[in-house]
Amino acid sequence: MVFGSNLLHCYSRRLNMISGFDYVKSNGLKKVLALIVDGIPTDLSAIFSETAKIEAITKEHPLGLEIMRHTTAHIMAQAIKELYPSAKIAIGPVIEDGFYYDISCEHRFTPDDFPAIEKKMREIIKADYKITREIVSKDDAIEFFRGKNELFKVELIQDLNVTEVSLYHHEDKFTDLCRGPHLPKTGMASTHFEIMKTAGAYWRGDSNREMLQRLYATSWFSKEELDNYITLLEEAEKRDHRKIGREMDLFHLQEEASGSVFWHPRGWTLYRTLRNYVRKRLAKDGYVEVCTPQMVDKVLWEQSGHWEKFRQNMFISESEEKTLAIKPMNCPCHIQIFKQGTKSYRDLPLRMAEFGCCHRNEPSGSLYGTMRVRSFVQDDAHIFCMPEQINSETKKFCNLLSKIYRDLGFEKFSVKFSDRPEKRVGSDEIWDLAEDLLQKAVREVGLEYTINKGEGAFYGPKLEFVLKDKLNRDWQCGTFQVDFNLPERLGAWYTGEDGEKHHPIMLHRAVLGSLERFIGILLEHYAGKLPMWLAPVQIVVATITNDYDDYGKRFYDALIESGIRSEFDVRAEKISYKIRNHSVEKVPVMAIIGENEKSNNTITLRKMDGSQENLAFDNAIDLLRKICKEPL
RNA sequence: GCCGAAAUAGCUCAGAUGGUAGAGCGGCUGAUUCGUAAUCAGUAGGUCGGAGGUUCGAUUCCUCUUUUCGGCACCA
């Protein structure tokens, strides 16, 4: 049993109650930020039964950092209120790596304001205000915040389904609505914080409501951790695919084609290499590849439901009397192919793939390099099958996906299982069956997964596959969706073993998602240093002086003959200049050719990390052929 | 789409209370022929994102607009 109020203090003896402070003191504990009492995170000021199960939260405890950051968020709000008394505070939660506070204020915050706010925060920490928790009735709390003109707080409390709420006071300087727990004193908050940026954010995440100013900040217990975090951000910035794409001359974007990528020769080589690799993997798994129209009459989109559900995102065109839409997805077209002729259960499963270019009119504010574009190609396929084939197709897909991710250098990925949403089509029996089969199949493959409750597509449950990159960032790429709906809407049938007509089940699936986005992920994951088989230029042959150009040419010709993507650098430059040049371009290997090589009929292969080996001419070719081979 | 910021040479960036712009790298030309991440010299690049307005004069001030960046919302 946990009580938040000090009013109970006087009864504590008689009821065998003890306060958190007493507990800490009597157990000789130090540097305790908060407690966990019978499993519930609690302030040190709390009073609880002597028999309660207690765990101390220190800096080392996972919750310690979170609680400290939360208190720091309150301190930031207090600082802002002191500097800008008219500011109204909304919410200030802890997030990964820090916290933010949403504020409504006449003053427009800019980074120039940060030092003053930070200074004020340090003053508040130094003043070491006591932080106390108070339980008040909902009505009192509403009255209190209304009196302070904190109308966001009033709205929050009104919407809470409780009779009492807890307030946190920084002595008489500042009060916030909060569930807690918090540090006992502002002085225990770390001074290793930094306000990072401002941004707009809708009140309660609703785009119809007021846009507030959000101040993001980070905070750590030690300077070292703060510095590490800043270094990590800098590292991420260096890996930015837009920057690397420019440096490696892979692609560009420009005003006149906002949201579409201009792929340069090197970028397109990477693109084709990736696509060909996936093609081969698909072929091995019994997929067939098709190509369907770019523009399709509105009528088809009306049948599929896209016209109703997805129209704002579609580019529309016209021709004579007809309204056409540029396809945002391939699925309706694949059903058209399925529908040609008659299909029997013997034709199933039919795995139909297409690297079709899709266009979606994404909101301008969401565009981001090649990661979020308006025109893109997915490694898309639809598997037409019978219900009893869902299990084996799921397993087959999961195996394919694991192989592809591993080949591309992603060892870790997680799986989310999204089950039936509230708004859905199809009977509960069908959903039971689909979820059951899908879940059973993932389990049989041996993949761990988490449940994403109610997040399935309206037509069926789905699996989502999330990659972890070298900076430990998550990227949702793969998807596997069970669809009972579209084949029916668009009139796809097959003749079953029973001689009756049935609608096939359609499995929508992609491993990489959009190739544009995936290439962005690859570039950031590898910081541009792509594995040999993906590198647009695999090797540059560089001579030390022009005296060795003939010998170098022989090697270069042999490389080209072997299908290795090579360039030949015979500029009258120093070898160190050439090495720097091609290192910046992230070419994985250079062949260095000078007197030593020519007179011994050898080649020196130098990797980007500086390591190198000297090999006989033919052995060098053999080695390069081997290491340039795609992993199939 | 919303809030905020930004847009100057191919890239990274500097600059002027309003008098038509500058550096480094890169490019080009020449010299250098060299052994592991920048050889030297010379030279050419700009409607200062676009359109209007104020002004004798605007890249600079104002308005609109496009795009980009950071978030929010969106991501069937």
Side-chain angles (χ1 to χ4, degrees):
Chain A
M1 198 188 231
V2 177
F3 294 102
S5 171
N6 291 333
L7 292 174
L8 288 168
H9 217 302
C10 49
Y11 300 112
S12 60
R13 275 293 152 82
R14 218 185 318 157
L15 297 167
N16 293 328
M17 303 295 271
I18 180 173
S19 88
F21 291 116
D22 293 341
Y23 173 83
V24 167
K25 206 168 160 191
S26 61
N27 286 279
L29 299 174
K30 277 183 190 144
K31 296 183 176 170
V32 178
L33 309 175
L35 298 172
I36 297 176
V37 179
D38 289 333
I40 301 166
T42 308
D43 294 291
L44 277 176
S45 61
I47 290 164
F48 44 83
S49 157
E50 281 176 344
T51 57
K53 196 169 160 277
I54 312 294
E55 193 185 339
I57 299 176
T58 60
K59 284 182 188 181
E60 287 70 34
H61 191 284
L63 280 177
L65 188 57
E66 225 174 273
I67 291 169
M68 187 278 284
R69 283 175 174 165
H70 201 173
T71 299
T72 314
H74 281 209
I75 292 170
M76 184 168 81
Q78 180 183 349
I80 290 167
K81 287 287 290 182
E82 288 182 15
L83 292 165
Y84 306 93
S86 69
K88 290 204 265 294
I89 56 176
I91 55 164
V94 172
I95 50 171
E96 204 182 349
D97 302 325
F99 58 88
Y100 65 78
Y101 218 111
D102 283 351
I103 311 269
S104 170
C105 187
E106 298 258 317
H107 175 77
R108 296 284 129 195
F109 292 104
T110 70
D112 295 340
D113 300 322
F114 296 170
I117 300 171
E118 288 172 350
K119 182 164 174 259
K120 185 61 89 179
M121 288 171 70
R122 286 179 212 289
E123 284 168 23
I124 294 166
I125 291 172
K126 198 161 177 219
D128 203 14
Y129 297 118
K130 235 174 121 177
I131 301 176
T132 51
R133 178 187 167 102
E134 183 192 10
I135 303 289
V136 298
S137 73
K138 195 170 166 179
D139 291 342
D140 287 351
I142 289 171
E143 198 182 320
F144 174 81
F145 283 113
R146 190 169 280 144
K148 287 188 170 296
N149 203 27
E150 293 286 9
L151 302 179
F152 296 108
K153 297 291 178 193
V154 171
E155 185 182 325
L156 283 176
I157 300 165
Q158 276 168 341
D159 289 355
L160 284 175
N161 191 20
V162 293
T163 51
E164 292 181 326
V165 297
S166 55
L167 304 181
Y168 278 84
H169 304 286
H170 296 183
E171 293 178 13
D172 59 347
K173 308 292 184 202
F174 176 77
T175 299
D176 202 350
L177 169 76
C178 194
R179 194 184 296 132
H182 278 280
L183 304 176
K185 296 181 290 189
T186 59
M188 286 172 79
S190 170
T191 52
H192 304 293
F193 64 83
E194 200 173 309
I195 302 176
M196 306 298 287
K197 58 193 169 196
T198 63
Y202 296 111
W203 168 231
R204 308 200 109 178
D206 183 343
S207 56
N208 296 311
R209 305 200 62 181
E210 186 185 342
M211 171 83 47
L212 307 170
Q213 299 189 73
R214 177 171 296 177
L215 272 79
Y216 283 95
T218 188
S219 169
W220 303 84
F221 280 119
S222 69
K223 179 163 188 326
E224 195 192 350
E225 287 167 299
L226 175 63
D227 290 345
N228 285 345
Y229 176 65
I230 302 288
T231 309
L232 184 78
L233 291 185
E234 285 165 359
E235 181 57 29
E237 205 179 309
K238 275 188 224 150
R239 286 169 179 251
D240 191 315
H241 73 287
R242 293 165 296 191
K243 187 170 133 75
I244 291 176
R246 201 184 311 112
E247 286 167 357
M248 292 175 70
D249 192 17
L250 302 177
F251 59 81
H252 84 271
L253 295 141
Q254 70 182 51
E255 243 182 80
E256 292 81 355
S258 171
S260 297
V261 185
F262 290 79
W263 290 101
H264 297 191
R266 288 184 181 188
W268 192 240
T269 299
L270 169 57
Y271 195 108
R272 284 183 298 128
T273 305
L274 184 62
R275 195 178 53 181
N276 285 344
Y277 159 77
V278 176
R279 258 195 185 121
K280 288 183 191 168
R281 277 267 174 249
L282 291 182
K284 283 188 178 210
D285 260 21
Y287 285 75
V288 290
E289 188 177 326
V290 298
C291 181
T292 62
Q294 204 56 238
M295 262 194 290
V296 179
D297 196 299
K298 159 187 168 194
V299 174
L300 187 66
W301 304 112
E302 282 169 345
Q303 283 171 23
S304 71
H306 287 87
W307 198 256
E308 189 199 343
K309 300 233 180 239
F310 205 65
R311 192 175 164 186
Q312 285 110 320
N313 288 292
M314 288 162 73
F315 287 104
I316 314 290
S317 182
E318 272 167 32
S319 170
E320 300 180 354
E321 301 296 290
K322 292 187 172 174
T323 303
L324 303 159
I326 301 172
K327 66 176 173 188
M329 300 175 206
N330 298 307
C331 27
C333 290
H334 287 185
I335 293 179
Q336 304 313 307
I337 293 182
F338 183 88
K339 281 168 67 181
Q340 293 305 110
T342 56
K343 293 286 180 295
S344 99
Y345 70 96
R346 293 173 196 274
D347 296 316
L348 306 182
L350 176 54
R351 309 184 187 95
M352 195 183 287
E354 175 170 5
F355 295 92
C357 185
C358 294
H359 288 75
R360 296 180 193 176
N361 199 354
E362 303 284 359
S364 56
S366 67
L367 302 178
Y368 170 61
T370 70
M371 301 275 210
R372 185 88 181 262
V373 284
R374 286 180 172 150
S375 139
F376 57 92
V377 174
Q378 286 172 295
D379 61 327
D380 192 22
H382 297 94
I383 302 169
F384 296 92
C385 68
M386 298 183 279
E388 55 270 35
Q389 291 171 325
I390 292 178
N391 183 291
S392 57
E393 286 307 309
T394 308
K395 282 198 252 175
K396 201 174 172 64
F397 175 75
C398 289
N399 287 330
L400 173 70
L401 174 129
S402 308
K403 247 182 262 171
I404 292 177
Y405 286 171
R406 203 178 322 118
D407 284 348
L408 290 165
F410 295 93
E411 299 298 332
K412 281 184 281 181
F413 69 90
S414 56
V415 186
K416 291 191 286 187
F417 181 95
S418 300
D419 61 8
R420 66 191 79 186
E422 272 188 36
K423 282 173 82 179
R424 60 179 183 267
V425 295
S427 67
D428 283 354
E429 291 79 60
I430 295 269
W431 274 93
D432 287 343
L433 179 70
E435 287 176 358
D436 191 49
L437 287 174
L438 192 55
Q439 212 164 121
K440 210 171 129 218
V442 201
R443 245 182 259 141
E444 281 177 31
V445 186
L447 291 173
E448 305 250 325
Y449 61 90
T450 54
I451 304 273
N452 225 1
K453 202 134 192 58
E455 290 295 310
F458 69 91
Y459 46 71
K462 63 179 175 185
L463 299 175
E464 281 161 349
F465 300 86
V466 183
L467 288 181
K468 263 214 185 309
D469 74 6
K470 286 206 176 127
L471 294 187
N472 227 21
R473 296 174 300 182
D474 286 340
W475 302 97
Q476 189 179 311
C477 294
T479 182
F480 187 88
Q481 310 173 359
V482 185
D483 179 5
F484 292 95
N485 187 47
L486 218 49
E488 192 180 325
R489 287 189 77 125
L490 292 174
W493 300 94
Y494 69 95
T495 309
E497 213 170 349
D498 56 5
E500 300 293 318
K501 284 171 85 183
H502 305 278
H503 292 299
I505 310 284
M506 201 175 174
L507 306 173
H508 305 242
R509 38 102 338 185
V511 177
L512 307 182
S514 120
L515 293 182
E516 282 75 3
R517 177 162 176 271
F518 198 83
I519 286 174
I521 295 168
L522 274 177
L523 292 174
E524 302 208 353
H525 179 61
Y526 285 112
K529 295 173 192 161
L530 295 166
M532 203 64 190
W533 69 279
L534 281 170
V537 178
Q538 294 170 314
I539 182 166
V540 170
V541 180
T543 49
I544 290 187
T545 77
N546 293 120
D547 293 342
Y548 311 105
D549 287 359
D550 288 346
Y551 183 66
K553 181 74 166 40
R554 266 178 55 211
F555 188 64
Y556 171 72
D557 287 345
L559 289 169
I560 295 292
E561 190 59 33
S562 304
I564 293 164
R565 298 188 288 270
S566 320
E567 289 188 357
F568 191 26
D569 188 347
V570 290
R571 292 174 301 173
E573 298 288 355
K574 283 168 50 170
I575 196 65
S576 50
Y577 182 80
K578 294 185 183 182
I579 285 171
R580 179 183 156 77
N581 237 228
H582 300 116
S583 297
V584 168
E585 290 173 343
K586 312 277 197 299
V587 177
V589 177
M590 287 184 70
I592 311 289
I593 291 178
E595 181 56 34
N596 290 342
E597 287 75 15
K598 190 182 173 185
S599 52
N600 298 313
N601 202 36
T602 61
I603 300 294
T604 296
L605 297 181
R606 181 195 192 276
K607 288 201 219 148
M608 220 196 302
D609 62 9
S611 66
Q612 60 183 26
E613 67 185 307
N614 187 258
L615 295 164
F617 190 101
D618 291 340
N619 292 347
I621 297 284
D622 287 346
L623 176 68
L624 286 166
R625 277 170 106 135
K626 214 160 75 195
I627 61 178
C628 288
K629 207 169 166 299
E630 58 187 354
L632 278 169

